[in-house]
Amino acid sequence: MPLILPQKSSTVAADLRHLLGSEKVKNDAPSLTAYAVDASIYRMTPQVVVLVESEEDIQHVIRYAVTHSVPLTARAAGTNLTGSAIGSGIILDVSRMNCIMEVNREEQWARVQPGIVLNEFNRQLAKSNLMFGPDPSSGDMCKLGGMLANNSSGPHTLRYGSVKDNVHSLRVCLQSGEWLEATSYGLVDPACERILSAHPALRKLLTLVREHKAVIQGKQPSVSKNSCGYNLFGLADGLDLGLFDLPKLFIGSEGTLGVISEAKVRLVVKPAITLTALIHFRHLEEVGEAVPQLLALKPSALEVMDANTLDLIGRQRHGIPEHSAATLLAELEGVTDETALKQCAEEMATMCRRYRLAGELTVAYDQEQRDQLWKARKALYPTLYRFDPRKKPINFVDDVVVGADRISELIRYLEDFFGGQKTLVAIFGHIGNGNAHILPLLDVNDRQDFNKMIDAYHEVHHTVLSRFDGSICGEHGDGRIRAEYVRKMFGEELYSLFVQVKHMFDPSGVLNPGIKISEESFTEHIDYTRLSKSCATCGKCNSVCPVYDVFQSEDMSSRGWFEIVTAKDYSYLDSKRVVEACLNCKSCRKICPAGVDVSDLILKRRAEHPNRAAGWMFRLHARPAIFEPILKLLAKTQPWWDRPAPRRWLARLAQPFLSRVAETAKLPAEMALPKLAGRLLRDRHPELVERASSPNQGEVAYFHGCAANYFDDGVGDAVIGVLKKHGVEPTLPPQRCSGTPIETYGHVDIVKQHARFNLESFAGYDTVVTGCASCHLMLKDYAKLFQNEPEQATAERLSKKVVHITEFVARAKDKPPTASAEAGTHRVTYHSSCHLRAAGVTKEPRKILSELPGVNYVEMQDADRCAGGAGTYLVKDYETSQKIFERKRRAIQESGADTVATSCPACMIRLRNGSPPGVAVKHVAQVLQEAYEAADQTQGDRPNA
Ligand SMILES: Cc1cc2nc3c(=O)[nH]c(=O)nc-3n(C[C@H](O)[C@H](O)[C@H](O)COP(=O)(O)OP(=O)(O)OC[C@H]3O[C@@H](n4cnc5c(N)ncnc54)[C@H](O)[C@@H]3O)c2cc1C
Ligand code: SF4
Ligand code: SF4
């Protein structure tokens, strides 16, 4: 199927812009770089990216692609492991079509668009106590469109099946540009005849399946899961029931037959209770014997990790016994009946104890304990990515399926085979379905390892088919990686039917060429450069990136930025638009399984082009003798100028300067500014400042940072007040800006000057308390800033002494008495500041709040997501910041809280700009101080106090 590619991507882009408008079409270098990868081992640079927002958009793009013979690849989150969401022509990204259009609670179904993230979908459904059953481990990032097109599934397939078992109907745009309502039609239903007449390809398909039913059914894999080839088996089985079961064809077709714009999916009731058990088997063979018995208990999940995997992730770290040959995770669910579930747990324990276990069986019902049991399994990918700087886990035989009763035999075979190759390999997966994920660790840039990959690809796939009568693909799809093997799996006759089906629906061959039906070798398009880099392109960081959340476009995302800033042909001028969009919230760093800090890479690129206007500001700020009088004057006059009319003037006056800081920067009149302090914190506490002149051993220092000193926000006083209540008279040593905002504008030289000053100033203290999340993380990160420089050791020492006020309080042995600060009970929620989260402080603030009298602590949804403040980002890109905050605003509203507490003065500014009316914004230290003062008051009120 030769495709004629237009010479220039600009021609295609110009045409598409004309059709759809310029906002939705991208062909600049950074965008194409970002879209050149998915989570597979491949790279392919597209000509143009289209971010469709409606069915009309999809239709226009398909018609254009067909008319001009431009390859077209649909894409959702780009987390597939097979290279099926990258292509050489148009990438049609459905991410912006992410609405839940209808939920029917009674009949348990929903109509939903393909761009919605699975976990987001389930979060919304949870309000109705429902969920979508299939649960790929990538659920926090993958989107429904990709799940449908890949027929995804996950650990709980045992109970809920794959996607194909959970779909009523689809709306599909065919390559003719016509829309098809793909549902399960009764063969004698007049509606069936109507669609056959409307879409000639369907009549041909029906005839083909009827005529070759015996061949199709004869070749149906006998294992419980298969996503290899087109699901003509589902269609053939449908005919037996008098149905033309169309969803079966499109689910798992990987965007090669049409583009899905909507699905009506089946929902299930969320389990009321779940039990998780961890079982360590001493002998692999006994796992094989135990599995059928465990399956009799109808577990919802049954997962395995082999001995190699346990070694690779570190047995000691995860409390896995030395002699475990395989560890099983079993999960049982109950919708109502707790007693029955407990009985099942008993049966499971009795049954397992018949085998030689390498340790006691652990059972947990509580969510936190269950998470603990899943920890080793979930830590698997991260650990493998970090295991070796050169040898990476390579997905190329990652998804085989055999009979569940033969899984031990398969594992033994694989261990022997890879052992013979001297290749480290992790084998794990959904043992209940016989679905094994095999991840060899290889350096594909090394010729020997490359050859091992080719050998393993053929040998393992061949053995799975010939010896185990299994499938080469359970849930990840064929993509580029297995396309070459589809013919071998099904034989010439059935393969030729697949080819005919592809021709029927895509005669011009534009729909995702190279995928599923292709003669290309799996080694074509491997991205050797990327496989030597640290990023695994898994897309996990995108799921927490606030900018991606707003733009739903890979060039405005953490993963995309990694690609852009590490590209060989990177240029700041070309990439400024995207490189300057990052908030430096560090959410990506916290979540990345491979330990990549995208924000740091971006900051390094910014440091190559420090922003001059911001630099001028920071230099002025570094001269307190000039800066502080100006600030005090502004504070004094704030009641006059901080009113709507003067603010509009101020906005205009400031604009020329702000535009030099960033094209997007502005200071709109409606933005609530923090109240400036007429008397700085240091002026208000001269006795604590003076203490710094003769510090005593073991003293506690308070690093207040800029905000608490310059703003009249009550945070600094509250931190000092709380420390005093804990019997600590803190010292306020001389200090300079920790450096966070300065670093974001590229002025590393100024950051280092300040850091050196702070390192010296705080060197003599045992404990350095912070109240600001950003200062906290920056002080901790000084060691990174001075990596391999003389200051590194001092910075490391400081890092160990830095504690956030919430940590200080949570760790205190003696707690001052607390009482209700106000009458009645208050509903308080917590916004977890990104930089404090990045520093690992998450539980302490929540614990403090939930233990306070008179506080009804509620966890808000998305508490751990960036609110869009990020220091000066609110000014740097007000519009984007507002869009990011919208999600937080909704979460605050839904929590029903009257107070949002947080741990960072900068977040407080953001929260005050747009939180629902009547919601107070406070620092946790302020909430605490109020509770301490209320206790004093109560004691004072007592007659004998
Ligand atoms: C860490 C990790 C863990 C994973 N775990 C699992 C797992 O447990 N189980 C599992 O099954 N998979 C797993 N996967 C693979 C992957 O996440 C799933 O296949 C996922 O469903 C793909 O969704 P996506 O939104 O990323 O799709 P994409 O990667 O964007 O696309 C996948 C395919 O769908 C097509 N497509 C997308 N949208 C449409 C549309 N609207 N119409 C037509 N075609 C479309 C694309 O062309 C492509 O062929 C994992 C991946 C990673 C990185
Ligand atoms: S930076 Fe980390 S989380 Fe993001 S795609 Fe790369 S490996 Fe995944
Ligand atoms: S620091 Fe925040 S905004 Fe920047 S890439 Fe990471 S998650 Fe996205």
Side-chain angles (χ1 to χ4, degrees):
M1 287 177 257
L3 294 172
I4 312 146
L5 290 175
Q7 290 290 305
K8 284 189 179 169
S9 85
S10 55
T11 318
V12 184
D15 290 349
L16 289 169
R17 280 197 184 100
H18 182 68
L19 281 170
L20 308 168
S22 54
E23 286 290 294
K24 300 174 191 166
V25 181
K26 298 188 181 194
N27 69 324
D28 58 306
S31 299
L32 300 185
T33 303
Y35 276 96
V37 299
D38 50 23
S40 70
I41 57 175
Y42 300 110
R43 170 180 296 271
M44 235 177 173
T45 307
Q47 296 204 354
V48 61
V49 176
V50 185
L51 293 142
V52 290
E53 292 177 9
S54 65
E55 288 196 339
E56 290 71 39
D57 289 349
I58 294 179
Q59 196 172 32
H60 280 314
V61 181
I62 291 191
R63 285 199 165 135
Y64 179 87
V66 172
T67 316
H68 295 83
S69 295
V70 187
L72 183 142
T73 299
R75 174 170 172 127
T79 69
N80 75 85
L81 300 160
T82 68
S84 62
I86 51 173
S88 59
I90 301 168
I91 299 291
L92 184 152
D93 189 332
V94 296
S95 299
R96 290 182 179 173
M97 292 179 69
N98 54 22
C99 293
I100 301 174
M101 299 152 102
E102 194 180 351
V103 177
N104 188 317
R105 293 178 194 200
E106 288 70 39
E107 295 172 17
Q108 294 182 202
W109 54 259
R111 283 200 305 123
V112 64
Q113 289 187 313
I116 195 159
V117 173
L118 173 64
N119 282 5
E120 186 63 39
F121 184 35
N122 277 333
R123 254 202 297 272
Q124 302 293 333
L125 293 172
K127 294 173 197 159
S128 314
N129 197 32
L130 295 170
M131 64 178 202
F132 185 57
D135 63 334
S137 316
S138 49
D140 49 359
M141 56 242 195
C142 74
K143 298 175 180 172
L144 215 72
M147 291 178 66
L148 292 160
N150 270 3
N151 185 26
S152 301
S153 53
H156 293 83
T157 310
L158 273 181
R159 186 174 182 107
Y160 303 112
S162 307
V163 166
K164 71 172 166 47
D165 309 308
N166 292 278
V167 172
H168 292 297
S169 65
L170 301 168
R171 262 180 78 71
V172 185
C173 191
L174 301 176
Q175 75 115 50
S176 58
E178 312 259 331
W179 286 96
L180 167 67
E181 200 66 40
T183 189
S184 186
Y185 290 93
L187 287 169
V188 290
D189 186 339
C192 185
E193 183 48 42
R194 277 201 296 277
I195 59 134
L196 293 176
S197 306
H199 305 285
L202 292 184
R203 197 179 293 281
K204 287 189 202 161
L205 172 73
L206 184 57
T207 310
L208 177 136
V209 178
R210 272 190 174 135
E211 283 176 0
H212 301 277
K213 199 158 137 286
V215 175
I216 296 166
Q217 288 183 326
K219 285 281 178 187
Q220 180 150 12
S222 55
V223 285
S224 70
K225 252 173 129 177
N226 170 59
S227 278
C228 185
Y230 290 124
N231 188 6
L232 299 186
F233 320 106
L235 286 172
D237 292 347
L239 293 186
D240 287 342
L241 302 169
L243 297 172
F244 190 24
D245 197 356
L246 277 177
K248 294 283 188 303
L249 176 70
F250 292 97
I251 293 168
S253 64
E254 301 178 41
T256 60
L257 303 179
V259 174
I260 301 162
S261 67
E262 189 189 311
K264 182 177 166 189
V265 297
R266 189 166 76 87
L267 306 174
V268 291
V269 175
K270 268 168 75 76
I273 47 163
T274 306
L275 164 168
T276 306
L278 198 63
I279 317 154
H280 308 287
F281 283 83
R282 201 178 268 266
H283 296 274
L284 191 56
E285 288 66 26
E286 293 187 358
V287 174
E289 279 176 41
V291 165
Q293 298 184 50
L294 284 166
L295 286 175
L297 296 173
K298 300 210 177 333
S300 55
L302 195 54
E303 297 284 301
V304 68
M305 287 178 284
D306 81 321
N308 281 341
T309 309
L310 300 173
D311 290 340
L312 285 166
I313 61 171
R315 289 170 186 260
Q316 227 177 2
R317 196 177 328 145
H318 293 286
I320 292 160
E322 200 187 328
H323 300 295
S324 178
T327 288
L328 254 60
L329 258 169
E331 207 151 87
L332 299 170
E333 288 177 357
V335 176
T336 49
D337 194 351
E338 194 169 332
T339 328
L341 196 66
K342 289 196 164 153
Q343 215 170 335
C344 266
E346 282 298 312
E347 276 178 50
M348 180 163 63
T350 316
M351 191 278 288
C352 286
R353 284 187 195 115
R354 278 187 226 128
Y355 298 99
R356 288 163 290 175
L357 299 185
E360 232 345 272
L361 174 133
T362 324
V363 177
Y365 293 88
D366 167 77
Q367 183 67 49
E368 207 169 316
Q369 287 173 345
R370 287 180 41 231
D371 289 348
Q372 203 56 33
L373 297 188
W374 275 96
K375 212 169 153 196
R377 169 70 173 86
K378 297 227 163 129
L380 217 163
Y381 267 103
T383 321
L384 293 181
Y385 285 132
R386 291 175 200 214
F387 191 76
D388 187 293
R390 281 178 33 254
K391 292 194 189 283
K392 308 279 176 197
I394 307 287
N395 284 288
F396 65 95
V397 276
D398 47 297
D399 195 23
V400 305
V401 192
V402 300
D405 54 340
R406 295 185 72 184
I407 200 90
S408 307
E409 187 189 342
L410 176 78
I411 294 176
R412 178 69 72 218
Y413 152 71
L414 290 169
E415 286 182 346
D416 288 349
F417 172 75
F418 284 105
Q421 268 202 343
K422 300 204 174 9
T423 298
L424 286 175
V425 62
I427 305 159
F428 57 96
H430 319 305
I431 191 173
N433 291 107
N435 187 188
H437 296 320
I438 307 160
L439 273 183
L441 272 71
L442 294 167
D443 172 9
V444 289
N445 283 295
D446 172 281
R447 177 49 60 185
Q448 260 192 341
D449 273 16
F450 181 79
N451 289 338
K452 283 182 187 174
M453 173 175 77
I454 302 212
D455 287 349
Y457 177 84
H458 291 288
E459 159 64 28
V460 172
H461 284 151
H462 174 75
T463 307
V464 164
L465 296 182
S466 57
R467 174 168 150 193
F468 289 92
D469 200 18
S471 165
I472 59 167
C473 175
E475 57 185 23
H476 292 168
D478 296 319
R480 296 178 192 285
I481 213 141
R482 280 172 279 268
E484 151 181 10
Y485 228 86
V486 176
R487 184 199 297 267
K488 291 185 183 126
M489 161 126 179
F490 293 110
E492 212 51 64
E493 200 175 4
L494 184 51
Y495 187 74
S496 80
L497 299 183
F498 290 161
V499 175
Q500 287 177 51
V501 171
K502 170 72 179 168
H503 278 278
M504 285 170 195
F505 284 86
D506 184 23
S508 54
V510 296
L511 295 177
N512 223 358
I515 304 304
K516 215 175 240 315
I517 302 299
S518 168
E519 305 295 322
E520 247 178 7
S521 155
F522 85 99
T523 55
E524 288 293 313
H525 309 293
I526 289 183
D527 186 357
Y528 296 98
T529 313
R530 181 164 55 79
L531 290 173
S532 63
K533 295 186 194 171
S534 49
C535 170
T537 61
C538 67
K540 220 169 166 50
C541 51
N542 283 4
S543 69
V544 294
C545 180
V547 179
Y548 182 64
D549 193 40
V550 165
F551 290 96
Q552 293 294 319
S553 173
E554 198 73 44
D555 56 310
M556 296 294 265
S557 79
S558 181
R559 174 174 63 178
W561 289 335
F562 178 90
E563 287 304 314
I564 293 165
V565 300
T566 61
K568 266 198 202 128
D569 56 355
Y570 165 83
S571 123
Y572 177 75
L573 287 182
D574 282 350
S575 314
K576 191 173 172 194
R577 169 181 72 86
V578 290
V579 168
E580 290 294 341
C582 163
L583 283 92
N584 186 34
C585 69
K586 308 276 187 214
S587 304
C588 50
R589 155 172 150 180
K590 179 82 183 136
I591 202 167
C592 174
V596 178
D597 185 349
V598 179
S599 58
D600 193 50
L601 294 170
I602 292 173
L603 292 179
K604 286 197 172 112
R605 287 307 197 182
R606 286 188 192 167
E608 291 165 5
H609 296 265
N611 184 284
R612 280 202 201 163
W616 177 83
M617 193 69 201
F618 292 129
R619 282 192 188 93
L620 175 70
H621 171 226
R623 301 174 70 177
I626 305 175
F627 182 77
E628 289 181 2
I630 299 175
L631 193 90
K632 286 176 187 173
L633 182 68
L634 285 171
K636 223 176 193 174
T637 52
Q638 191 167 14
W640 177 81
W641 57 259
D642 200 357
R643 286 177 297 133
R647 280 290 303 277
R648 279 196 288 278
W649 276 101
L650 187 66
R652 267 188 234 160
L653 274 175
Q655 200 52 51
F657 172 76
L658 291 174
S659 300
R660 298 184 65 188
V661 172
E663 278 166 29
T664 46
K666 61 177 173 177
L667 196 68
E670 67 271 20
M671 181 196 294
L673 296 178
K675 191 165 174 285
L676 301 175
R679 282 183 73 212
L680 307 187
L681 182 79
R682 298 180 72 81
D683 298 338
R684 297 199 296 275
H685 298 275
E687 74 292 354
L688 303 182
V689 174
E690 274 159 29
R691 289 165 62 90
S693 52
S694 51
N696 292 323
Q697 197 67 34
E699 251 175 46
V700 172
Y702 170 33
F703 187 94
H704 47 69
C706 305
N709 194 27
Y710 297 148
F711 300 152
D712 191 8
D713 58 6
V715 174
D717 297 308
V719 172
I720 292 170
V722 167
L723 287 171
K724 285 185 175 176
K725 269 283 158 207
H726 282 260
V728 171
E729 194 78 3
T731 304
L732 308 190
Q735 51 192 279
R736 294 212 183 142
C737 171
S738 66
T740 311
I742 307 173
E743 196 184 22
T744 58
Y745 290 94
H747 292 279
V748 182
D749 52 340
I750 308 182
V751 178
K752 285 192 170 173
Q753 278 169 23
H754 288 351
R756 285 191 192 100
F757 182 93
N758 291 333
L759 282 177
E760 200 179 320
S761 194
F762 284 82
Y765 298 90
D766 281 0
T767 307
V768 177
V769 174
T770 58
C772 166
S774 294
C775 295
H776 182 86
L777 184 67
M778 194 68 194
L779 294 184
K780 291 239 169 220
D781 274 0
Y782 278 173
K784 272 194 196 163
L785 184 72
F786 290 114
Q787 203 164 16
N788 302 324
E789 291 185 44
E791 294 86 348
Q792 187 177 352
T794 323
E796 275 164 7
R797 276 197 295 280
L798 176 71
S799 166
K800 289 186 189 125
K801 300 176 193 176
V802 174
V803 288
H804 190 262
I805 183 71
T806 54
E807 288 179 285
F808 186 91
V809 171
R811 287 178 199 166
K813 284 199 190 91
D814 300 321
K815 309 252 169 147
T818 49
S820 290
E822 291 167 67
T825 301
H826 284 269
R827 213 170 152 85
V828 178
T829 191
Y830 177 65
H831 159 66
S832 152
S833 306
C834 299
H835 284 184
L836 200 61
R837 213 167 55 245
V841 185
T842 54
K843 289 190 177 150
E844 294 83 350
R846 290 171 163 100
K847 183 167 183 299
I848 290 171
L849 292 171
S850 56
E851 286 174 357
L852 287 180
V855 165
N856 171 11
Y857 176 74
V858 277
E859 180 73 16
M860 74 163 122
Q861 210 159 66
D862 296 326
D864 287 336
R865 285 193 82 95
C866 177
T872 59
Y873 195 83
L874 182 60
V875 176
K876 188 180 175 189
D877 192 343
Y878 181 71
E879 306 292 344
T880 305
S881 177
Q882 288 290 84
K883 287 180 190 157
I884 293 172
F885 187 71
E886 181 48 29
R887 188 174 177 132
K888 188 67 66 174
R889 194 195 59 76
R890 273 200 311 269
I892 297 170
Q893 193 151 32
E894 280 167 20
S895 75
D898 52 46
T899 303
V900 192
T902 187
S903 312
C904 178
C907 290
M908 289 166 70
I909 301 174
R910 176 58 272 189
L911 289 163
R912 285 191 176 130
N913 269 284
S915 284
V919 175
V921 175
K922 291 180 184 169
H923 193 282
V924 179
Q926 288 174 300
V927 183
L928 255 173
Q929 194 193 20
E930 286 167 7
Y932 292 155
E933 282 172 0
D936 286 349
Q937 191 70 39
T938 319
Q939 281 193 337
D941 290 348
R942 276 197 208 123
N944 298 327

